[in-house]
mmCIF file of all heavy atoms in Angstrom:
data_model
loop_
_atom_site.group_PDB
_atom_site.id
_atom_site.type_symbol
_atom_site.label_atom_id
_atom_site.label_comp_id
_atom_site.label_asym_id
_atom_site.label_seq_id
_atom_site.Cartn_x
_atom_site.Cartn_y
_atom_site.Cartn_z
ATOM 1 N N GLY A 63 -40.240 47.312 -119.685
ATOM 2 C CA GLY A 63 -41.295 46.843 -120.571
ATOM 3 C C GLY A 63 -41.602 45.377 -120.356
ATOM 4 O O GLY A 63 -42.776 44.977 -120.258
ATOM 5 N N VAL A 64 -40.570 44.558 -120.263
ATOM 6 C CA VAL A 64 -40.756 43.126 -120.033
ATOM 7 C C VAL A 64 -41.291 42.879 -118.626
ATOM 8 O O VAL A 64 -42.157 42.014 -118.411
ATOM 9 C CB VAL A 64 -39.435 42.372 -120.261
ATOM 10 C CG1 VAL A 64 -39.596 40.891 -119.937
ATOM 11 C CG2 VAL A 64 -38.970 42.545 -121.703
ATOM 12 N N ARG A 65 -40.798 43.639 -117.651
ATOM 13 C CA ARG A 65 -41.309 43.494 -116.280
ATOM 14 C C ARG A 65 -42.813 43.790 -116.228
ATOM 15 O O ARG A 65 -43.588 43.089 -115.572
ATOM 16 C CB ARG A 65 -40.568 44.448 -115.340
ATOM 17 C CG ARG A 65 -39.113 44.091 -115.082
ATOM 18 C CD ARG A 65 -38.441 45.200 -114.294
ATOM 19 N NE ARG A 65 -37.025 44.964 -114.133
ATOM 20 C CZ ARG A 65 -36.467 44.403 -113.070
ATOM 21 N NH1 ARG A 65 -37.238 44.015 -112.079
ATOM 22 N NH2 ARG A 65 -35.164 44.227 -113.000
ATOM 23 N N THR A 66 -43.221 44.854 -116.928
ATOM 24 C CA THR A 66 -44.629 45.216 -116.933
ATOM 25 C C THR A 66 -45.461 44.158 -117.641
ATOM 26 O O THR A 66 -46.585 43.843 -117.224
ATOM 27 C CB THR A 66 -44.829 46.581 -117.614
ATOM 28 O OG1 THR A 66 -44.055 47.561 -116.922
ATOM 29 C CG2 THR A 66 -46.292 46.996 -117.592
ATOM 30 N N LEU A 67 -44.923 43.581 -118.713
ATOM 31 C CA LEU A 67 -45.636 42.508 -119.411
ATOM 32 C C LEU A 67 -45.838 41.319 -118.480
ATOM 33 O O LEU A 67 -46.913 40.710 -118.451
ATOM 34 C CB LEU A 67 -44.846 42.093 -120.650
ATOM 35 C CG LEU A 67 -45.574 41.205 -121.667
ATOM 36 C CD1 LEU A 67 -46.812 41.917 -122.201
ATOM 37 C CD2 LEU A 67 -44.647 40.832 -122.810
ATOM 38 N N ALA A 68 -44.809 40.982 -117.712
ATOM 39 C CA ALA A 68 -44.950 39.897 -116.733
ATOM 40 C C ALA A 68 -45.949 40.264 -115.649
ATOM 41 O O ALA A 68 -46.748 39.418 -115.197
ATOM 42 C CB ALA A 68 -43.586 39.587 -116.114
ATOM 43 N N PHE A 69 -45.941 41.534 -115.242
ATOM 44 C CA PHE A 69 -46.887 41.983 -114.221
ATOM 45 C C PHE A 69 -48.327 41.911 -114.732
ATOM 46 O O PHE A 69 -49.249 41.574 -113.979
ATOM 47 C CB PHE A 69 -46.554 43.407 -113.784
ATOM 48 C CG PHE A 69 -47.452 43.941 -112.703
ATOM 49 C CD1 PHE A 69 -47.449 43.393 -111.436
ATOM 50 C CD2 PHE A 69 -48.315 44.997 -112.963
ATOM 51 C CE1 PHE A 69 -48.281 43.874 -110.441
ATOM 52 C CE2 PHE A 69 -49.148 45.496 -111.978
ATOM 53 C CZ PHE A 69 -49.127 44.932 -110.711
ATOM 54 N N LEU A 70 -48.522 42.219 -116.011
ATOM 55 C CA LEU A 70 -49.855 42.096 -116.592
ATOM 56 C C LEU A 70 -50.334 40.644 -116.555
ATOM 57 O O LEU A 70 -51.524 40.375 -116.374
ATOM 58 C CB LEU A 70 -49.860 42.611 -118.039
ATOM 59 C CG LEU A 70 -49.716 44.117 -118.232
ATOM 60 C CD1 LEU A 70 -49.723 44.460 -119.711
ATOM 61 C CD2 LEU A 70 -50.820 44.863 -117.509
ATOM 62 N N GLY A 71 -49.403 39.703 -116.727
ATOM 63 C CA GLY A 71 -49.765 38.300 -116.595
ATOM 64 C C GLY A 71 -50.226 37.961 -115.193
ATOM 65 O O GLY A 71 -51.218 37.249 -115.003
ATOM 66 N N VAL A 72 -49.513 38.495 -114.186
ATOM 67 C CA VAL A 72 -49.903 38.271 -112.793
ATOM 68 C C VAL A 72 -51.264 38.907 -112.513
ATOM 69 O O VAL A 72 -52.130 38.308 -111.853
ATOM 70 C CB VAL A 72 -48.830 38.844 -111.842
ATOM 71 C CG1 VAL A 72 -49.285 38.737 -110.387
ATOM 72 C CG2 VAL A 72 -47.501 38.113 -112.028
ATOM 73 N N VAL A 73 -51.461 40.134 -113.033
ATOM 74 C CA VAL A 73 -52.737 40.824 -112.838
ATOM 75 C C VAL A 73 -53.880 40.045 -113.493
ATOM 76 O O VAL A 73 -54.964 39.903 -112.924
ATOM 77 C CB VAL A 73 -52.658 42.256 -113.413
ATOM 78 C CG1 VAL A 73 -54.044 42.882 -113.506
ATOM 79 C CG2 VAL A 73 -51.760 43.121 -112.544
ATOM 80 N N SER A 74 -53.627 39.521 -114.687
ATOM 81 C CA SER A 74 -54.650 38.748 -115.383
ATOM 82 C C SER A 74 -55.033 37.505 -114.582
ATOM 83 O O SER A 74 -56.221 37.186 -114.418
ATOM 84 C CB SER A 74 -54.153 38.338 -116.776
ATOM 85 O OG SER A 74 -53.815 39.475 -117.552
ATOM 86 N N PHE A 75 -54.026 36.800 -114.072
ATOM 87 C CA PHE A 75 -54.285 35.594 -113.269
ATOM 88 C C PHE A 75 -55.061 35.950 -112.007
ATOM 89 O O PHE A 75 -56.038 35.278 -111.648
ATOM 90 C CB PHE A 75 -52.971 34.912 -112.911
ATOM 91 C CG PHE A 75 -53.136 33.718 -112.015
ATOM 92 C CD1 PHE A 75 -53.565 32.505 -112.518
ATOM 93 C CD2 PHE A 75 -52.857 33.827 -110.653
ATOM 94 C CE1 PHE A 75 -53.735 31.406 -111.682
ATOM 95 C CE2 PHE A 75 -53.013 32.734 -109.810
ATOM 96 C CZ PHE A 75 -53.456 31.521 -110.330
ATOM 97 N N GLY A 76 -54.637 37.026 -111.319
ATOM 98 C CA GLY A 76 -55.319 37.429 -110.093
ATOM 99 C C GLY A 76 -56.751 37.856 -110.333
ATOM 100 O O GLY A 76 -57.654 37.539 -109.547
ATOM 101 N N THR A 77 -56.981 38.577 -111.439
ATOM 102 C CA THR A 77 -58.343 39.012 -111.754
ATOM 103 C C THR A 77 -59.244 37.823 -112.045
ATOM 104 O O THR A 77 -60.386 37.745 -111.558
ATOM 105 C CB THR A 77 -58.323 39.971 -112.955
ATOM 106 O OG1 THR A 77 -57.471 41.087 -112.657
ATOM 107 C CG2 THR A 77 -59.720 40.468 -113.274
ATOM 108 N N LYS A 78 -58.750 36.886 -112.843
ATOM 109 C CA LYS A 78 -59.547 35.697 -113.146
ATOM 110 C C LYS A 78 -59.784 34.852 -111.892
ATOM 111 O O LYS A 78 -60.836 34.223 -111.729
ATOM 112 C CB LYS A 78 -58.847 34.868 -114.222
ATOM 113 C CG LYS A 78 -58.860 35.531 -115.592
ATOM 114 C CD LYS A 78 -60.276 35.781 -116.065
ATOM 115 C CE LYS A 78 -60.324 36.451 -117.416
ATOM 116 N NZ LYS A 78 -61.711 36.720 -117.865
ATOM 117 N N LEU A 79 -58.798 34.845 -110.988
ATOM 118 C CA LEU A 79 -58.968 34.105 -109.737
ATOM 119 C C LEU A 79 -60.076 34.722 -108.894
ATOM 120 O O LEU A 79 -60.899 34.015 -108.289
ATOM 121 C CB LEU A 79 -57.649 34.093 -108.960
ATOM 122 C CG LEU A 79 -57.591 33.225 -107.698
ATOM 123 C CD1 LEU A 79 -57.792 31.760 -108.059
ATOM 124 C CD2 LEU A 79 -56.257 33.415 -106.984
ATOM 125 N N LEU A 80 -60.128 36.065 -108.867
ATOM 126 C CA LEU A 80 -61.184 36.734 -108.113
ATOM 127 C C LEU A 80 -62.548 36.493 -108.753
ATOM 128 O O LEU A 80 -63.566 36.397 -108.057
ATOM 129 C CB LEU A 80 -60.900 38.228 -108.025
ATOM 130 C CG LEU A 80 -59.838 38.649 -107.001
ATOM 131 C CD1 LEU A 80 -59.555 40.136 -107.108
ATOM 132 C CD2 LEU A 80 -60.299 38.292 -105.590
ATOM 133 N N GLU A 81 -62.578 36.403 -110.083
ATOM 134 C CA GLU A 81 -63.841 36.080 -110.752
ATOM 135 C C GLU A 81 -64.342 34.705 -110.307
ATOM 136 O O GLU A 81 -65.552 34.500 -110.129
ATOM 137 C CB GLU A 81 -63.667 36.119 -112.268
ATOM 138 C CG GLU A 81 -63.642 37.514 -112.845
ATOM 139 C CD GLU A 81 -63.647 37.513 -114.364
ATOM 140 O OE1 GLU A 81 -62.790 36.838 -114.961
ATOM 141 O OE2 GLU A 81 -64.497 38.179 -114.962
ATOM 142 N N GLU A 82 -63.421 33.755 -110.137
ATOM 143 C CA GLU A 82 -63.803 32.433 -109.643
ATOM 144 C C GLU A 82 -64.285 32.499 -108.196
ATOM 145 O O GLU A 82 -65.169 31.744 -107.778
ATOM 146 C CB GLU A 82 -62.625 31.462 -109.761
ATOM 147 C CG GLU A 82 -62.214 31.140 -111.186
ATOM 148 C CD GLU A 82 -63.295 30.392 -111.936
ATOM 149 O OE1 GLU A 82 -64.007 29.571 -111.304
ATOM 150 O OE2 GLU A 82 -63.457 30.647 -113.149
ATOM 151 N N CYS A 83 -63.696 33.434 -107.429
ATOM 152 C CA CYS A 83 -64.076 33.567 -106.017
ATOM 153 C C CYS A 83 -65.466 34.169 -105.843
ATOM 154 O O CYS A 83 -66.041 34.081 -104.745
ATOM 155 C CB CYS A 83 -63.057 34.437 -105.276
ATOM 156 S SG CYS A 83 -61.432 33.676 -105.072
ATOM 157 N N LEU A 84 -65.989 34.814 -106.900
ATOM 158 C CA LEU A 84 -67.303 35.436 -106.775
ATOM 159 C C LEU A 84 -68.381 34.434 -106.399
ATOM 160 O O LEU A 84 -69.364 34.769 -105.730
ATOM 161 C CB LEU A 84 -67.677 36.134 -108.093
ATOM 162 C CG LEU A 84 -66.856 37.383 -108.462
ATOM 163 C CD1 LEU A 84 -67.253 37.896 -109.835
ATOM 164 C CD2 LEU A 84 -67.026 38.468 -107.405
ATOM 165 N N ALA A 85 -68.220 33.190 -106.833
ATOM 166 C CA ALA A 85 -69.205 32.155 -106.532
ATOM 167 C C ALA A 85 -68.906 31.447 -105.210
ATOM 168 O O ALA A 85 -69.636 30.525 -104.839
ATOM 169 C CB ALA A 85 -69.262 31.131 -107.668
ATOM 170 N N ARG A 86 -67.843 31.875 -104.520
ATOM 171 C CA ARG A 86 -67.462 31.237 -103.250
ATOM 172 C C ARG A 86 -67.373 32.327 -102.187
ATOM 173 O O ARG A 86 -66.347 33.011 -102.082
ATOM 174 C CB ARG A 86 -66.133 30.498 -103.400
ATOM 175 C CG ARG A 86 -66.196 29.340 -104.398
ATOM 176 C CD ARG A 86 -64.811 28.813 -104.712
ATOM 177 N NE ARG A 86 -64.851 27.624 -105.556
ATOM 178 C CZ ARG A 86 -65.007 27.650 -106.873
ATOM 179 N NH1 ARG A 86 -65.145 28.814 -107.496
ATOM 180 N NH2 ARG A 86 -65.047 26.534 -107.574
ATOM 181 N N PRO A 87 -68.419 32.531 -101.397
ATOM 182 C CA PRO A 87 -68.463 33.648 -100.453
ATOM 183 C C PRO A 87 -67.291 33.709 -99.487
ATOM 184 O O PRO A 87 -66.772 34.781 -99.202
ATOM 185 C CB PRO A 87 -69.789 33.414 -99.701
ATOM 186 C CG PRO A 87 -70.615 32.583 -100.624
ATOM 187 C CD PRO A 87 -69.647 31.728 -101.378
ATOM 188 N N LEU A 88 -66.839 32.564 -98.983
ATOM 189 C CA LEU A 88 -65.749 32.573 -98.013
ATOM 190 C C LEU A 88 -64.439 33.041 -98.652
ATOM 191 O O LEU A 88 -63.670 33.784 -98.036
ATOM 192 C CB LEU A 88 -65.582 31.181 -97.398
ATOM 193 C CG LEU A 88 -66.720 30.721 -96.474
ATOM 194 C CD1 LEU A 88 -66.429 29.330 -95.921
ATOM 195 C CD2 LEU A 88 -66.902 31.717 -95.323
ATOM 196 N N TRP A 89 -64.194 32.603 -99.893
ATOM 197 C CA TRP A 89 -62.981 33.044 -100.572
ATOM 198 C C TRP A 89 -63.037 34.547 -100.864
ATOM 199 O O TRP A 89 -62.035 35.260 -100.722
ATOM 200 C CB TRP A 89 -62.796 32.264 -101.874
ATOM 201 C CG TRP A 89 -62.284 30.880 -101.666
ATOM 202 C CD1 TRP A 89 -62.997 29.717 -101.688
ATOM 203 C CD2 TRP A 89 -60.933 30.504 -101.370
ATOM 204 N NE1 TRP A 89 -62.192 28.643 -101.429
ATOM 205 C CE2 TRP A 89 -60.908 29.093 -101.236
ATOM 206 C CE3 TRP A 89 -59.755 31.206 -101.209
ATOM 207 C CZ2 TRP A 89 -59.754 28.381 -100.940
ATOM 208 C CZ3 TRP A 89 -58.584 30.505 -100.913
ATOM 209 C CH2 TRP A 89 -58.599 29.109 -100.785
ATOM 210 N N LEU A 90 -64.204 35.021 -101.279
ATOM 211 C CA LEU A 90 -64.348 36.448 -101.550
ATOM 212 C C LEU A 90 -64.218 37.269 -100.271
ATOM 213 O O LEU A 90 -63.623 38.350 -100.270
ATOM 214 C CB LEU A 90 -65.699 36.720 -102.215
ATOM 215 C CG LEU A 90 -65.888 38.108 -102.832
ATOM 216 C CD1 LEU A 90 -64.842 38.358 -103.917
ATOM 217 C CD2 LEU A 90 -67.287 38.251 -103.403
ATOM 218 N N LEU A 91 -64.741 36.754 -99.178
ATOM 219 C CA LEU A 91 -64.606 37.432 -97.892
ATOM 220 C C LEU A 91 -63.138 37.483 -97.473
ATOM 221 O O LEU A 91 -62.660 38.502 -96.947
ATOM 222 C CB LEU A 91 -65.443 36.715 -96.837
ATOM 223 C CG LEU A 91 -65.425 37.327 -95.432
ATOM 224 C CD1 LEU A 91 -65.992 38.743 -95.464
ATOM 225 C CD2 LEU A 91 -66.227 36.454 -94.461
ATOM 226 N N ALA A 92 -62.401 36.383 -97.712
ATOM 227 C CA ALA A 92 -60.966 36.379 -97.395
ATOM 228 C C ALA A 92 -60.210 37.411 -98.233
ATOM 229 O O ALA A 92 -59.321 38.104 -97.730
ATOM 230 C CB ALA A 92 -60.394 34.981 -97.635
ATOM 231 N N ALA A 93 -60.587 37.538 -99.518
ATOM 232 C CA ALA A 93 -59.960 38.546 -100.368
ATOM 233 C C ALA A 93 -60.273 39.949 -99.876
ATOM 234 O O ALA A 93 -59.421 40.846 -99.914
ATOM 235 C CB ALA A 93 -60.421 38.370 -101.814
ATOM 236 N N LEU A 94 -61.503 40.167 -99.404
ATOM 237 C CA LEU A 94 -61.889 41.470 -98.861
ATOM 238 C C LEU A 94 -61.061 41.829 -97.639
ATOM 239 O O LEU A 94 -60.544 42.948 -97.518
ATOM 240 C CB LEU A 94 -63.384 41.447 -98.517
ATOM 241 C CG LEU A 94 -63.942 42.655 -97.765
ATOM 242 C CD1 LEU A 94 -63.778 43.915 -98.599
ATOM 243 C CD2 LEU A 94 -65.408 42.436 -97.410
ATOM 244 N N VAL A 95 -60.920 40.877 -96.726
ATOM 245 C CA VAL A 95 -60.130 41.123 -95.511
ATOM 246 C C VAL A 95 -58.662 41.377 -95.868
ATOM 247 O O VAL A 95 -58.030 42.303 -95.346
ATOM 248 C CB VAL A 95 -60.269 39.932 -94.535
ATOM 249 C CG1 VAL A 95 -59.326 40.103 -93.349
ATOM 250 C CG2 VAL A 95 -61.715 39.819 -94.061
ATOM 251 N N ALA A 96 -58.108 40.563 -96.772
ATOM 252 C CA ALA A 96 -56.708 40.734 -97.170
ATOM 253 C C ALA A 96 -56.479 42.094 -97.834
ATOM 254 O O ALA A 96 -55.487 42.783 -97.551
ATOM 255 C CB ALA A 96 -56.300 39.605 -98.115
ATOM 256 N N GLY A 97 -57.405 42.492 -98.723
ATOM 257 C CA GLY A 97 -57.259 43.787 -99.375
ATOM 258 C C GLY A 97 -57.358 44.945 -98.407
ATOM 259 O O GLY A 97 -56.608 45.925 -98.503
ATOM 260 N N GLU A 98 -58.270 44.852 -97.441
ATOM 261 C CA GLU A 98 -58.420 45.926 -96.458
ATOM 262 C C GLU A 98 -57.172 46.052 -95.587
ATOM 263 O O GLU A 98 -56.694 47.165 -95.319
ATOM 264 C CB GLU A 98 -59.648 45.646 -95.583
ATOM 265 C CG GLU A 98 -60.122 46.831 -94.767
ATOM 266 C CD GLU A 98 -60.695 47.939 -95.633
ATOM 267 O OE1 GLU A 98 -61.198 47.647 -96.731
ATOM 268 O OE2 GLU A 98 -60.626 49.098 -95.190
ATOM 269 N N PHE A 99 -56.615 44.927 -95.179
ATOM 270 C CA PHE A 99 -55.371 44.972 -94.411
ATOM 271 C C PHE A 99 -54.222 45.500 -95.267
ATOM 272 O O PHE A 99 -53.318 46.170 -94.767
ATOM 273 C CB PHE A 99 -55.035 43.590 -93.849
ATOM 274 C CG PHE A 99 -55.671 43.308 -92.523
ATOM 275 C CD1 PHE A 99 -56.794 42.506 -92.430
ATOM 276 C CD2 PHE A 99 -55.161 43.868 -91.363
ATOM 277 C CE1 PHE A 99 -57.400 42.252 -91.209
ATOM 278 C CE2 PHE A 99 -55.753 43.619 -90.141
ATOM 279 C CZ PHE A 99 -56.876 42.809 -90.056
ATOM 280 N N GLY A 100 -54.249 45.180 -96.572
ATOM 281 C CA GLY A 100 -53.226 45.731 -97.469
ATOM 282 C C GLY A 100 -53.290 47.243 -97.540
ATOM 283 O O GLY A 100 -52.254 47.927 -97.513
ATOM 284 N N LEU A 101 -54.496 47.818 -97.619
ATOM 285 C CA LEU A 101 -54.643 49.272 -97.638
ATOM 286 C C LEU A 101 -54.181 49.898 -96.328
ATOM 287 O O LEU A 101 -53.554 50.965 -96.317
ATOM 288 C CB LEU A 101 -56.106 49.640 -97.910
ATOM 289 C CG LEU A 101 -56.611 49.390 -99.335
ATOM 290 C CD1 LEU A 101 -58.107 49.624 -99.413
ATOM 291 C CD2 LEU A 101 -55.890 50.286 -100.327
ATOM 292 N N ILE A 102 -54.490 49.250 -95.222
ATOM 293 C CA ILE A 102 -54.037 49.754 -93.923
ATOM 294 C C ILE A 102 -52.519 49.733 -93.847
ATOM 295 O O ILE A 102 -51.880 50.688 -93.370
ATOM 296 C CB ILE A 102 -54.658 48.923 -92.785
ATOM 297 C CG1 ILE A 102 -56.179 49.113 -92.763
ATOM 298 C CG2 ILE A 102 -54.049 49.307 -91.439
ATOM 299 C CD1 ILE A 102 -56.904 48.201 -91.802
ATOM 300 N N ASN A 103 -51.901 48.659 -94.350
ATOM 301 C CA ASN A 103 -50.443 48.566 -94.336
ATOM 302 C C ASN A 103 -49.817 49.642 -95.219
ATOM 303 O O ASN A 103 -48.796 50.243 -94.859
ATOM 304 C CB ASN A 103 -50.006 47.186 -94.819
ATOM 305 C CG ASN A 103 -48.500 47.036 -94.849
ATOM 306 O OD1 ASN A 103 -47.833 47.026 -93.821
ATOM 307 N ND2 ASN A 103 -47.937 46.937 -96.046
#
């Protein structure tokens, strides 16, 4: 339960970070490439 609560904090930070990246095309493109490689892995 505590681990999941901490994970929700990480998810919240990551989601808000991606929202900030929406206005920065290069950062969003880097997130796209990283996510695609993550799925391949």
Side-chain angles (χ1 to χ4, degrees):
V64 176
R65 290 173 185 264
T66 302
L67 193 60
F69 182 66
L70 289 179
V72 175
V73 167
S74 301
F75 176 78
T77 303
K78 290 301 179 181
L79 187 63
L80 282 175
E81 283 187 307
E82 294 295 325
C83 291
L84 291 175
R86 297 169 174 81
L88 291 180
W89 283 101
L90 193 60
L91 181 62
L94 172 62
V95 173
E98 195 68 27
F99 273 102
L101 288 173
I102 295 172
N103 179 67

